[in-house]
Every structure is written in C-alpha cells, then in structure tokens.
C-alpha cells in the first residue's frame, strides 16, 4: 500500500476556474485508480489547489494490480483430442489462450466435456500504469478558455504546465505531461520562498513540505485563515465589521498561496458618494472588502487580501499603494458623478437614439417607447383591479429607465446600470417613487434576489422584460438548448417571480397581451413562460416535480393560484386516501386512453341522463352519486380558493372509487354499457381535475 | 498630500521616467532582445506597431523591445486629469517563442527597476486581451502590484485572424503608471522625467508633455474636421485595398519570381491600414461614429489589417522557401 501524489505546476490559473478543475482532477484520478483496481478499501483521496498548482493525494493505493486468473472454455474435448493426441483445434485454442497445450484441462459441463484453460494475468505495476494513463486524463481537463504554448504541439491547457510532481511514496512515477517529466521538485511561493525547488521527499509529506515553502495548498485552510485575518484586521477599528461577501472570499482564496490581510483607510469625504459606487469600486475593481461601522453604514476603511507576508515596512508600503489606487478610483467616480449631473436624466432621453438596443430592432429610444406602451397597458389592468399606485411616476420611471446608459459613471461601472439611474433620479429631485422604480428595474437579477419593492418598480420590471422577450422572439432570437445569448431565460424567470411574489392582479396572459395584439410570438412566449413557471415551482419554491406537473396540467396562467394549489396538493398528497385516489385516477386515465386508441366513441355528457339509466351495478350508481356530491362541494371550495379542503373532499371519494373498481368491469362486452362506463369515469376524472391532474402524482 | 515616511522612502531613490526606460531596455537587451525605436506612425498600442503585429506571424523566432507612444484620442482630458492621457507610453516586449521562465524574467525586470518584491504584493490576475480590428487575441494576466495594474502579460494566440505557431509572450509595461508608482506622485504630470545630476534640478512630465495633451485634446475633441477625417479614411482605405488585391494576386501567382514577391511593399500597405485605425479613433473622439456604424467601420479596418497580415505571412513563407532552394 502506498500514497500517490500528483501535482501539476502551472502559471497562474484564473481564479474563477480553479475550484472546478481541482474537483475534476480528483474525479479523474479516482476513476482511473478505481477502473484499474488500484484503490484499497481504506483508500482516501484529497485534492488541493493554489493559483499555481492542482494536486491530488491518494492514500491507500496498491503498488500494483492483483494478479488475475481467468478460466476459458474452448472446443469440445472430443474434437480437441483424438486418441489422446491434440488436434489442430487444441493447438489453436492453446495459442489463443496463451498457454501450453499440455496445460489444457478437461472441463465437465452440462453439455459434455470441453477443453478449458486457466489464464494467469500478472497485475501491472501502479507506477507503470499511471505513467501510461494519467497524462491523457490531465490533458482532458475542461477549461472555459485555454491556450497553445509549445511550438508545433497540439496540446491546449489553461496556462503552460511548468512542472509536475508524481510520487508513489518516495518514488518518482515516470510520467510526462506536455513535455514536462515528473519529478519530486515542486515550487514554493514566488517571493516568500523564491526559485529554489521545494523537494517533496514522500507523497504523504506534501502539505507540510509546501507549507515550509510558504504555500498553503489546502483551499479550506486558506479560506478559514482569510476569514480569521479579516476579522482580526477589522477588530482594530472599534465596533466595525467587514461586509460579508462569500463570492469575493472565494476569489481571493484562489488568488493567493500565502494569504494575509491589511486594513487601509480612505478619506471620509468619499463617503459622500453612494455606497453602491464605493462598494463596487472596492469589490469588483480592487477585490477589497468593505467595512461598516456599528450603525451599518460604510466606514472609511478597506481590507485587502495579500498574497504575501510583509514585514512592518512592507505592510506600510503595500497599504499606502493600495490606498492610492483606491483614492484615484474614487476620485474618478466622483468626477463622473459631478460631470453627469450637468445633463439631468430628463435631458438624456433624446440621446438614447444613439444607443443600440438590438441591431434588428432599434435603439434604446425605440425600446423606451415600446416599454411605455406595455407599461401603460399593464397599469390599466392593475388600476381596474383597484390597486393604488402613482401612474404618472410609473410613466416617468419607464421614460427615464434607460437614460443612465448615457452616463459616464455607468460607462465606468456597467454593473451599476439602473442603480445609478435611480440614484441620479433621487439626486435630481424626480421623487422617491420614480427613483425607487428606476433603481430596482433590474431586480430580481437571480432567483434568490428579491423583487422590486414598489408597484411602480414591479410594473416597470415586467414591462421592460416582457417587451424584450416578445421582441426577441419576433426576430427569431429565442434561446435554444444551452444557447441564450440575450439572457431571455433570466428575464422570463424574473417575470414569473414578480408576478408570483408581488400581489399584482396580473395573470401571465395579462402580461403577455400587454405587448400588443396577438401574434405567433405571444403564443411562443406563453409556452416559454410555462417552462419558466415549472422551473420556478420546482427549483425556487421546491415543489416535487409530480406535484408541479399535476398542478400545471390544471392551468398556470394565474401563477399565484398555481402556487396555492401546489401547496394544498403537497399537504394532502401523502394521505392514504389521496394516494388511492391518485392511483385510481391514473387507472382511469389509462383505461380511457386505451379505449380511445381502440376507436371507442363515448360521451362525457352522461349527466344529461342519457347514460344514467344504462348503469346497472349498485357500485357504479353509488360512484355517480358520490361524485355528484363531491363535485358540488369541491366547486364551492375551489371558488373560495380553499384548495386544501377541496382536496380533502376529493379524497372522500375513495370508498366509492375502490368499490367501483373492485366490482365493476369497465370494458363490458355490452357496447352501450361500456360507453356509459367510459363516459362516466372520464367525467369523474375530468370533473375533478380543475385543481390538479391527480393522475400525475407518483404513488409508487 | 502630506509626505508620509513611506512616501519619502519610496521616492528618494526612485528612478526618473527616462531612467525607468533605460533600465527596462538594458534589462531586456541583456537577455537577447533587439531594441527598436518607437514606430513613427500613429498607433493606439504597441501591439499595432509592425514589430509586433507582423513579426509575430510565421515561424521565425524574434525578441524585440521598444517604447511606443500610444495614442487614444478619446482618452484625452486636456491635461486636467492627473491619471488619464491622450498619449501614454508603453514599453512593449515580444518574446517569440516565450522562454519557459518568462514569468521569472519578468519579475527580475521589476527588481531591475527598483521594486523590492519582498516589500510589495504581487498578483497575476486573469485578463485576456483582444484587438478585434486586428483579428488578434490572447490569454493572460494583468499584473497587479499593491492593487495597481502595472503590466499586461499576454500569450498571443491569434493575429490577423491566423493561429500563431509558435505563440509569443507580449509584455506591455505602462510606463507612466509605473513611474508615478515608483516616485509616489499622485499626478502623472508630477513625474520627474529627467534630473540634472549636478544641480539636482528636475524636469517633470508636465513640462515635457502637458502642452501636447492640451492641444491634442482640443484638436481631437473640437477642431478636427469630421468631413476631412472621413475623406482621409476613405483615401487610405482605397489605396490599401488596391495594394492588398495586388499582393494577393502576385503572391499566389506561379509565374512571379521570389525577388518580385519579396519587394512587394506590404510594410507600406500596413501603414495605410494603421492610418485608417488612427482616423477611426479621431472620428470616434469627435463623436462622429454612431453605435450602429461602429461595428461596420471596425470591420473595414479589420479587412485591411487581416488582409495585410495574411499576405505578409504568405510573402514570408514564399520568399523563405525559395531562398532555400535558390
């Protein structure tokens, strides 16, 4: 048993790609060792990474495969041996099996006696096997963007491979990756250790050896040490806290081999800039953490995660340098902010004519005109339902929503579009309602994100997105498969989320028809949104897929109603009676479908009395009666949207349904009776399918 | 800003702007680089000079370094913004093919200009580069020193729409930024460009360049005649196109001899394409190019640069192989 270490030394890998590559390398090594029967039962595999390396340490690896024995069966004994002498058939079989003729055995089988051979295969040595197989695995790693680097060589990788360490305990595994022969020499931190090789004596001492070379190879350890160091540095400011930012922590974890943290300051005059701008500069442009005071407001400090460990003089220099860069970025932002105020948003509408929304559709001026029309229709629907909101403010917000695209500050910080528009609207005295609606127009940006807080913001967000979706569908730019270059799925997810969570009296149909007279694109959009509603119910609200299918089969135009039905169905689905009903309805669906496939013609309008008299057995008459009562109650409860009680009422049908299926044969030889029964059971199922199609519920 | 102890300890021994350039030039000359002079046609970046754009094509190894004044008319700020310039200076380096220790050499070059890496924080952060109008792109990093981007480090993968083999490493040092950092000055215009060794008197960056920033900002934003710029653009483009067509016919001809192919003036044709690129930038600064037009004009420039690059690659391979057989 041995430990196997593989370390691939690289030039700095992009931070965003490291975690995925580390996991994939671990998986590939594990799969290879498993496939080749090299993992012992107590084997343990650990992966490591830094910007300059990906590594796998597998403890409990066999040093060679076990020898194997295989029994082969050949021709029948009679054919292989004539008078005790081997025939050509015996010789051929022996050659094929790789054994001497004298080693052939007699095997008794049910069909008679046959020639057998025992083939022994010596297991291959692990080192040899890894040398042959591992390079291909490494070079197959997926990278979002890769490069060529060796002249005339076809291999592509994220960055050039500069060294490889491959050890089976202390022995070098003689493999070669992209022209680099594996050895036992790794490298330490560029500056803190320098260029002297870091020799790894044995696979198992990998992490300690690298630590001595000023490299922490364990990602979790770096993450923890960064968090601790952030805490510690922040404690030097009384009452302060650093702004939690898990994504930024991950980024800096993958930018460092030996992380430390410094706290720096900036002039408090910059706190006059909006917090959004300050945080974006710090986080997105400088990868600094923001610091807030006890009051939750930004404090004039920043935290930078360094990839070094400086002495006091060095720390002062580094702090000074970082603060200088931050100051000049803030100064820029301040300049742009002041510059932009010279042209208020209301004077920027015309200039949207020069900003392309989509080449085949038009400019953002065109887009704004369209959005105004859509928002107007939505507003009318909402107003008709007596929802109070400021219609003039909505109009103003839609009109100005895109004007910040012409602002210098947005050109500098594109991720702040909308937000900056909202801040400018507030600063320019356009009123809080207008400002808030513009500010929130791009929320929710993801399914976890909250929807706009105000009715005006919600309507603006809906109008903007549904206009984009239908217009894009109109020019054939609908998403296909994994391709969604205009992020229309995200836009549709936001539409669903706003409709579902806002309380606005709008159905999906209302939202779509607000884009204008009916077009084929609207029908397409409806189906596209149906898919997104399914996604929302399953992935955002966490309903089981069968519940979602059952509920959506009964309609989804009213999203909140679909949610209420899904909640009710989730509550009752596991009751014994309900499961029985679901199973029975599935049975009905199948019987009806099969009958239809055979060309049976039957009506569901049994209630007009036509089939009533045809039914002869008490169980079927009882079922009708029970259904009649249940349907009446269910309709009432449904009208009151008391879905839970409605579904519980449906469940009371169980005894009648059970008795029916126990005693009655639907497919009676008498055609009239058959028709009557088919019609009846279909009516039972369909008459109660208004809340959900229970036959979709998985009962097994 | 009050001078802190840190600031003075940094700046006292800091290199002047021109010393910074000397050091870099010396460093790379000692490592086998040809030192070239700045290219004497307007370019937006060192990459566009033929010493990069054309030399990276084909198989022939090459190492070259040069300072390249790079013009970006829209970035001009009349000399009023302490961090933004119409024309900044890049020290551009091409290592074809890249040596295996190219990153280590780069770090040594930082030590050579007085940066003690033990007292700074250095990171290589992903930053890929592309120049769509030149059909060129590569992957690489922005090198961050104490939070400041001081170098763009790119492994060129494609140029003129062609895969490169071998690839090359391109290092672009932003000299004004590095000098301001080393001298710890807030404004680029306060950088000491040269210092009289006897008197200690300093000549600042502002004294050398401020007038140019002001006057070119005025010209680029206010004065340049848009109709004339378009006229120039069309004239240069037409001549370049004619020459590219001729080159194409000649280089694909089986009757034309190697000598005839070799003397075809593709280098001059490339200058015409560069002229178009600069005129585009001027038109852009004048606000004369609408968003919708933009893509189209970039496409026209790309047709020229890619046309020259393809012809140049062909000219090199044709004349190289025929000189072997001659």
């Amino acid at each position: 048993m041995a430990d196997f270490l593989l370390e691939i030394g690289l030039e700095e890998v992009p931070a965003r790609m490291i975690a995925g590559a580390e996991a994939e390398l671990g998986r590939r090594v594990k799969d290879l060792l498993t496939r080749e029967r090299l993992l012992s039962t107590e084997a343990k595999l650990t992966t490591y990474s830094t910007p300059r390396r990906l590594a796998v340490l597998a403890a409990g690896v066999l040093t060679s495969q076990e020898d194997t024995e295989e029994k082969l069966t050949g021709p029948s004994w009679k054919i292989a041996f004539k008078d005790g002498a081997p025939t050509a058939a015996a010789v051929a079989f022996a050659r094929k099996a790789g054994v001497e003729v004298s080693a052939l055995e007699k095997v008794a089988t049910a069909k008679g006696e046959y020639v057998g051979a025992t083939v022994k295969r010596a297991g291959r040595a692990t080192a040899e096997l890894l040398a042959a197989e591992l390079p291909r695995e490494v070079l197959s790693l997926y990278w979002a963007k890769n490069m060529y680097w060796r002249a005339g060589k076809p291999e592509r990788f994220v960055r050039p491979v500069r060294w490889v360490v491959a050890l089976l305990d202390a022995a070098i595994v003689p493999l070669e990756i992209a022209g680099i022969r594996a050895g036992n020499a790794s490298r330490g931190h560029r500056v803190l250790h320098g260029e002297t090789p870091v020799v790894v004596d044995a696979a198992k001492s990998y992490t300690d050896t690298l630590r001595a070379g000023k490299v922490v190879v364990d990602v979790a350890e770096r993450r923890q040490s960064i968090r601790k160091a952030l805490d510690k540095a922040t404690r030097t400011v009384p009452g302060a806290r650093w702004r939690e930012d898990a994504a930024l922590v991950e980024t800096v974890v993958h930018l460092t081999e030996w992380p430390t943290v410094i706290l720096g300051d900036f002039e408090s005059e910059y706190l006059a800039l909006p917090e959004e701008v300050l945080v974006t500069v710090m986080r997105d442009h400088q990868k600094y953490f923001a610091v807030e005071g006890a009051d939750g407001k930004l404090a004039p400090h920043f935290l930078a995660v360094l990839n070094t460990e400086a002495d006091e003089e060095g720390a002062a220099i580094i702090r000074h340098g970082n603060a200088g860069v931050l100051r000049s970025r803030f100064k820029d932002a301040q300049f742009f902010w002041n510059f932009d105020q010279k042209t208020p948003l209301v004077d920027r509408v015309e200039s949207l004519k020069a900003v392309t929304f989509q080449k085949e559709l038009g400019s953002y001026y065109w887009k704004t005109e369209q959005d105004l029309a859509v928002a107007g229709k939505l507003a009318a629907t909402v107003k008709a339902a007596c929802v109070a909101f400021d219609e003039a403010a909505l109009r103003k917000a839609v009109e100005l929503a895109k004007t910040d695209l012409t602002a210098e500050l947005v050109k500098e910080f594109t991720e702040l579009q909308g937000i900056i528009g909202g801040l400018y609207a507030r600063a320019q005295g356009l009123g809080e309602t207008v400002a808030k609606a513009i500010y929130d127009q791009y929320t929710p940006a993801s399914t976890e994100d909250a929807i706009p807080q105000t009715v005006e913001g919600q309507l603006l967000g809906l109008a903007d997105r549904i206009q984009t979706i239908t217009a894009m569908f109109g020019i054939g730019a609908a998403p296909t498969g994994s391709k969604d270059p205009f992020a229309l799925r995200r836009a549709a997810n936001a539409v669903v989320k706003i409709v579902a969570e806002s309380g606005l009296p709008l159905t999906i149909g209302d939202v779509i028809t607000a884009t204008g007279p009916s077009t084929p694109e609207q029908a397409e959009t409806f189906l596209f949104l149906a898919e997104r509603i399914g996604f929302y119910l399953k992935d955002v609200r966490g309903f089981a897929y069968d519940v979602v299918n059952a509920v959506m089969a009964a309609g989804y135009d009213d999203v909140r109603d679909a949610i209420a039905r899904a909640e009710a169905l989730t509550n009752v689905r596991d009751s014994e009676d309900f499961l029985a009903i679901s199973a029975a309805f599935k049975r009905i669906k199948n019987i009806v479908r099969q009958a239809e496939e055979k060309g049976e013609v039957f009506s569901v309008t049994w209630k007009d009395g036509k089939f009533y008299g045809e039914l002869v057995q008490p169980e079927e008459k009882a079922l009708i009666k029970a259904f009649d009562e249940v349907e009446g109650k269910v309709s009432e409860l449904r009208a009151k949207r008391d879905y839970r009680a409605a579904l519980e009422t449906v469940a009371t049908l169980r005894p009648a349904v059970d008795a029916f299926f126990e005693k009655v044969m639907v497919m009676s030889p008498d055609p009239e009776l058959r028709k009557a029964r088919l019609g009846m059971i279909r009516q039972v199922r369909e008459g109660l399918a208004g809340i959900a199609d229970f036959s979709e519920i998985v009962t097994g | 800003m009050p001078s802190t102890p840190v600031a003075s300890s940094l700046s006292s021994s800091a290199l002047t702007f021109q010393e910074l350039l000397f050091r870099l030039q010396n460093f790379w000359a000692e490592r086998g680089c040809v030192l070239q002079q700045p290219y004497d046609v307007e370019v937006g970046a060192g990459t566009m000079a033929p010493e990069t754009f054309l030399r990276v094509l084909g198989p022939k190894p090459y190492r070259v370094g040069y300072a390249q004044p790079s013009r970006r008319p829209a970035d001009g700020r009349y000399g009023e913004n302490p961090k933004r310039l119409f024309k900044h200076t890049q020290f551009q380096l091409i290592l074809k093919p890249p040596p295996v220790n190219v990153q280590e050499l780069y770090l040594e070059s930082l030590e050579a200009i007085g940066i003690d890496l033990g007292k700074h924080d250095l990171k290589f952060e992903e930053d890929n580069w592309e120049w769509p109008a030149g059909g060129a792109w590569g992957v690489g990093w922005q090198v961050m020193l104490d939070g400041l981007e001081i170098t763009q480090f790119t492994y060129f993968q494609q140029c003129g729409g062609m895969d490169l083999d071998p690839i090359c490493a391109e290092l672009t040092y932003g000299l004004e930024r590095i000098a301001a950092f080393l001298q710890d000055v807030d404004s680029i215009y306060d950088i000491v460009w040269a210092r009289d060794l006897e008197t200690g008197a300093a000549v600042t960056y502002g004294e050398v360049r401020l007038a140019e920033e002001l006057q070119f900002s005025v010209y680029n934003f206010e004065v340049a005649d848009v109709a004339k710029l378009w006229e120039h653009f069309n004239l240069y483009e037409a001549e370049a196109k004619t020459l590219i067509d001729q080159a194409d016919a000649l280089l694909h001809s089986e009757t034309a001899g190697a000598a005839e192919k070799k003397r075809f003036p593709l280098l001059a044709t490339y200058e015409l394409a560069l002229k178009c690129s600069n005129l585009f930038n001027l038109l852009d600064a004048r606000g004369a190019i609408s968003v919708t037009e933009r893509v189209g004009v970039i496409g026209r420039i790309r047709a020229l640069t890619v046309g020259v690059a393809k012809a140049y690659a062909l000219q090199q391979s044709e004349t190289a192989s025929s000189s072997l057989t001659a």
Side-chain angles (χ1 to χ4, degrees):
Chain A
M1 208 95 80
D3 297 327
F4 170 63
L5 169 71
L6 173 70
E7 183 195 56
I8 305 155
L10 296 158
E11 295 183 3
E12 279 76 354
V13 179
R16 67 191 167 104
M17 302 180 192
I18 296 177
E22 178 189 330
E24 187 188 340
L25 181 66
R27 207 161 52 235
R28 284 180 178 277
V29 169
K30 189 175 178 192
D31 289 350
L32 173 62
L33 293 173
T34 309
R35 194 163 69 230
E36 300 296 344
R37 296 173 285 116
L38 290 172
L39 282 183
S40 70
T41 46
E42 60 265 38
K44 187 169 164 285
L45 198 121
T46 320
T47 60
Y48 305 99
S49 71
T50 75
R52 294 179 73 201
R53 67 204 81 224
L54 297 173
V56 180
L57 179 61
V61 172
L62 305 176
T63 52
S64 70
Q65 293 174 319
E66 275 187 38
D67 296 344
T68 56
E69 254 186 33
E70 197 183 355
K71 300 271 188 199
L72 297 182
T73 311
S76 81
W77 189 261
K78 272 186 280 180
I79 292 173
F81 289 93
K82 295 270 182 213
D83 309 324
T87 65
V91 174
F93 173 66
R95 193 186 310 127
K96 195 175 133 212
V99 299
E100 297 295 322
V101 175
S102 58
L104 293 177
E105 305 150 14
K106 191 183 281 184
V107 189
T109 76
K111 287 184 278 177
E113 291 182 328
Y114 282 80
V115 177
T118 303
V119 183
K120 291 193 172 142
R121 291 210 173 87
R124 289 171 77 190
T126 302
E128 175 203 334
L129 218 146
L130 289 173
E133 303 293 331
L134 205 48
R136 188 171 30 231
E137 295 292 335
V138 171
L139 291 173
S140 304
L141 283 177
Y142 166 80
W143 300 104
K145 196 169 185 86
N146 54 23
M147 62 174 281
Y148 293 108
W149 74 98
R150 287 201 296 160
K153 298 293 178 188
E155 76 265 339
R156 300 218 279 167
F157 215 63
V158 62
R159 290 290 184 275
V161 177
R162 287 307 183 207
W163 75 90
V164 176
V165 175
L167 294 174
L168 207 51
D169 283 343
I172 292 169
V173 178
L175 54 82
E176 186 177 312
I177 294 171
I180 307 286
R181 294 169 77 107
N184 61 0
S186 179
R187 297 196 201 168
H189 188 281
R190 279 193 189 286
V191 174
L192 297 177
H193 178 82
E195 288 184 40
T196 327
V198 172
V199 175
V200 183
D201 291 327
K204 67 172 187 300
S205 53
Y206 177 61
T207 55
D208 291 340
T209 309
L210 267 292
R211 192 186 308 279
K214 294 285 185 185
V215 175
V216 179
V217 292
D218 187 330
V219 172
E221 187 185 334
R222 287 206 307 280
R223 185 181 300 121
Q224 204 191 3
S225 90
I226 287 173
R227 284 186 170 277
K228 274 192 180 160
L230 287 168
D231 289 342
K232 192 174 167 213
T234 310
R235 273 199 296 274
T236 59
V237 184
R241 271 179 318 199
W242 55 278
R243 281 266 169 103
E244 173 58 41
D245 189 335
L248 183 57
V249 170
E250 285 318 289
T251 302
V252 295
V253 160
H254 294 300
L255 277 173
T256 51
E257 298 203 299
W258 192 265
T260 59
V261 169
I262 54 154
L263 177 101
D265 310 320
F266 58 85
E267 291 74 6
S268 1
E269 60 173 284
Y270 294 114
L271 290 173
L273 277 166
E275 200 174 294
E276 293 87 342
V277 173
L278 296 172
V279 172
T280 301
V281 171
M282 286 191 271
R283 180 189 57 213
D284 296 359
H285 296 247
Q286 294 301 129
K287 302 187 175 76
Y288 299 157
F289 290 84
V291 176
E292 59 183 33
D295 56 359
K297 289 195 180 135
L298 275 197
H301 311 287
F302 66 91
L303 292 156
V305 178
L306 315 179
N307 182 33
T308 191
E309 188 174 46
D311 57 16
E312 211 172 304
E313 188 198 355
I317 292 173
I318 294 168
R319 185 178 296 115
H320 177 77
N322 280 283
V325 179
L326 189 61
R327 184 185 307 116
S328 71
R329 289 216 178 246
F330 282 166
K331 217 180 244 178
D332 269 357
Q334 200 174 41
F335 171 83
F336 289 134
W337 174 281
N338 293 333
F339 182 85
D340 285 341
Q341 301 315 312
K342 290 181 195 161
T343 314
L345 296 184
V346 290
D347 294 340
R348 290 175 183 266
V349 180
E350 267 305 296
S351 47
L352 287 178
K353 285 181 177 165
V355 187
T356 310
F357 166 59
Q358 217 289 330
K359 214 165 71 185
E360 293 159 68
L361 291 170
S363 65
Y364 271 99
Y365 187 86
W366 172 86
K367 166 80 172 145
T368 300
E369 285 180 317
Q370 306 297 308
D371 288 356
L372 277 168
V374 179
K377 291 217 181 71
L378 291 175
T381 312
V382 170
K383 214 168 130 192
C386 300
V387 173
F389 67 98
D390 183 342
E391 214 176 336
L394 169 65
R395 213 187 144 68
K396 183 98 301 199
V398 178
E399 192 189 345
L400 301 180
K402 305 301 174 190
T403 51
D404 71 351
L405 292 173
T406 66
E408 295 300 318
L409 197 56
V410 171
K411 290 180 192 163
E412 195 75 4
F413 305 112
T414 50
E415 60 273 57
L416 287 179
Q417 58 177 279
I419 291 173
I420 286 176
L423 295 170
Y424 282 3
R426 183 174 298 152
Q428 291 162 14
L430 294 170
E432 196 52 30
T433 314
V434 173
K436 196 85 189 88
I438 296 176
Y439 187 97
D440 282 343
Q441 64 178 300
Y442 296 106
T443 60
S446 71
T447 48
E448 294 91 48
D449 208 2
I451 63 164
Q453 292 169 357
T454 64
V455 171
E456 295 81 2
Q458 292 158 3
L459 291 174
L460 166 54
L462 285 176
D464 179 24
R465 291 181 179 98
I466 199 67
Q467 196 283 329
T468 300
I469 296 169
T470 47
M472 287 299 191
F473 273 55
I475 56 165
T480 50
S482 62
K483 287 204 187 84
D484 183 13
F486 304 106
L488 298 184
R489 286 199 186 98
R490 194 169 67 189
N493 287 341
V495 167
V496 172
K497 197 172 160 90
I498 293 173
V499 169
E501 297 175 20
S502 65
L504 289 175
L506 289 171
T507 64
I508 290 295
D510 292 336
V511 173
I512 292 174
T513 50
T515 59
S518 174
T519 59
E521 289 90 71
Q522 287 192 358
E524 241 186 290
T525 307
F526 198 80
L527 291 176
F528 178 60
L529 284 170
E531 199 184 290
R532 298 292 97 200
I533 293 167
F535 167 81
Y536 175 78
L537 293 174
K538 281 192 281 260
D539 293 56
V540 182
R541 303 297 284 244
F543 292 116
Y545 78 94
D546 58 346
V547 167
V548 173
N549 291 344
V551 162
M552 287 188 63
Y556 47 79
D557 189 31
D558 182 339
V559 180
R560 278 196 303 281
D561 186 64
I563 295 168
R565 288 183 280 127
E567 275 168 1
L569 186 54
T570 303
N571 281 326
V572 303
R573 64 164 292 169
D574 288 329
S575 80
E576 209 178 305
D577 287 348
F578 199 83
L579 285 174
I581 289 284
S582 298
F585 275 35
K586 193 168 298 159
R587 194 166 162 191
I588 293 174
K589 191 159 118 179
N590 289 335
I591 293 171
V592 169
R593 195 192 62 228
Q594 284 161 12
E596 279 171 340
E597 281 167 8
K598 280 187 203 147
E600 293 269 354
V601 180
F602 50 94
S603 166
V604 293
T605 59
W606 61 278
K607 253 179 134 180
D608 60 9
K610 194 177 168 197
F611 297 119
Y612 221 81
E614 308 275 356
L615 301 172
V616 291
Q617 286 183 229
E619 291 80 8
E620 50 192 333
K621 288 185 174 167
L623 178 56
I624 292 171
K625 193 157 167 285
F627 169 74
D628 256 345
E629 280 167 26
V630 164
E631 197 204 17
K633 278 192 225 161
V634 167
S635 312
E636 256 173 60
L637 291 165
R638 232 197 109 191
K640 286 191 273 180
R641 301 207 171 200
D642 189 348
Y643 296 125
R644 174 135 190 198
L647 292 173
E648 280 163 354
T649 308
V650 171
T652 62
L653 207 54
R654 182 187 177 185
V657 170
D658 283 355
F660 173 83
F661 278 116
E662 202 173 307
K663 300 284 182 185
V664 181
M665 189 179 65
V666 176
M667 299 308 279
S668 160
D670 172 352
E672 286 308 305
L673 195 54
R674 197 163 68 228
K675 272 190 192 177
R677 285 178 181 161
L678 282 169
M680 188 223 2
I681 59 173
R682 181 154 91 183
Q683 185 70 14
V684 168
R685 188 176 85 84
E686 291 179 2
L688 296 173
I691 296 171
D693 179 352
F694 311 121
S695 66
E696 292 283 351
I697 296 296
V698 176
T699 51
Chain B
M1 201 193 71
S3 176
T4 63
V6 170
S8 54
S9 80
L10 257 179
S11 53
S12 60
S13 59
L15 303 176
T16 63
F17 189 69
Q18 66 193 28
E19 282 166 347
L20 170 62
L21 181 56
F22 298 157
R23 292 276 186 100
L24 284 173
Q25 287 180 330
N26 276 331
F27 178 87
W28 288 107
E30 283 164 11
R31 280 150 190 87
C33 287
V34 169
L35 286 183
Q36 257 285 19
Q37 299 306 312
Y39 196 56
D40 56 344
V41 169
E42 310 90 324
V43 292
T47 307
M48 296 160 70
E51 282 297 292
T52 293
F53 188 78
L54 296 176
R55 292 278 191 180
V56 300
L57 304 170
K60 203 173 164 190
Y62 197 58
R63 285 187 177 193
V64 65
Y66 52 96
Q68 183 64 54
S70 303
R71 298 175 176 225
R72 306 205 174 147
D75 287 354
R77 292 291 183 272
Y78 298 84
E80 287 165 12
N81 184 311
K83 302 281 180 188
R84 294 192 189 218
L85 297 168
F86 142 69
K87 189 162 92 181
H88 69 288
T89 320
Q90 299 182 337
F91 183 71
Q92 166 86 0
L93 193 78
I94 290 293
L95 300 170
K96 175 190 173 185
V100 293
N101 62 341
V102 54
Q103 280 184 305
E104 286 74 23
L105 287 177
Y106 167 72
L107 296 185
E108 279 179 45
S109 79
L110 295 184
E111 299 270 3
I113 56 173
I115 297 172
D116 174 359
L117 292 175
K119 300 209 181 306
H120 294 276
D121 178 42
L122 183 98
K123 296 191 188 92
F124 287 84
E125 298 185 6
E126 180 191 19
D127 193 17
N128 303 319
W129 169 89
E130 65 170 342
W131 179 37
W137 67 273
V139 303
W141 307 277
Q142 45 178 345
V143 182
M144 306 295 286
L145 190 71
D146 300 346
L148 179 74
E149 181 192 348
I150 53 165
T151 305
Q152 174 73 41
F153 189 133
T154 307
Y155 285 116
F156 248 56
Q157 298 285 297
Q158 259 201 355
C159 186
M162 290 172 284
D163 279 343
L164 299 182
D165 192 9
I167 63 149
C168 65
E170 178 197 57
L171 303 181
T172 306
Y173 298 78
L175 292 188
E176 283 85 357
R177 271 195 188 184
I178 296 175
F181 177 83
L182 292 174
Q183 297 181 15
D184 195 35
V185 292
D186 266 352
S187 167
I188 285 170
Y189 297 105
D190 293 337
I191 291 170
V192 175
W193 185 299
R195 186 174 273 123
D196 186 312
L197 288 181
E198 278 175 25
T199 64
V203 179
T204 66
Y205 192 92
E207 288 173 73
V208 179
R209 290 220 49 248
L210 186 58
E212 196 184 350
E213 284 294 323
L214 172 61
Q215 294 193 9
F216 272 92
S217 291
V218 171
Y219 178 78
N220 299 340
F221 290 124
E222 302 169 23
V223 176
D225 183 328
V226 172
K228 288 254 163 48
L229 292 175
W230 276 121
E231 211 176 308
H232 295 152
F233 184 96
N234 292 332
L235 286 170
Y236 281 122
E237 183 193 33
E239 189 182 0
K241 265 177 154 169
T242 307
L243 285 169
I244 289 167
D245 288 345
Q246 287 173 6
D248 208 40
L250 175 72
L251 293 165
H252 284 98
S253 149
E254 284 173 15
T255 50
E260 195 186 345
K261 289 179 177 179
K262 197 172 178 175
R263 69 196 296 278
F264 190 89
L266 279 172
L267 295 172
T269 312
Y270 183 61
E271 283 198 1
L272 300 173
L274 287 179
K275 285 287 187 188
C276 288
S277 171
N278 183 56
L279 286 160
F280 167 80
N281 290 339
L282 282 169
L283 283 161
D284 204 22
R286 290 289 278 127
I289 295 180
S290 72
V291 181
T292 34
E293 264 176 315
R294 214 183 154 75
V295 180
V297 185
I298 290 175
R300 283 162 72 183
I301 299 168
R302 187 187 148 98
L304 304 180
T305 57
V306 170
V308 174
K310 294 223 151 100
Y312 180 85
L314 194 58
Q315 187 180 48
Q316 293 301 301
S317 65
E318 289 272 304
T319 51
S321 57
S322 56
S323 67
L324 282 179
T325 52

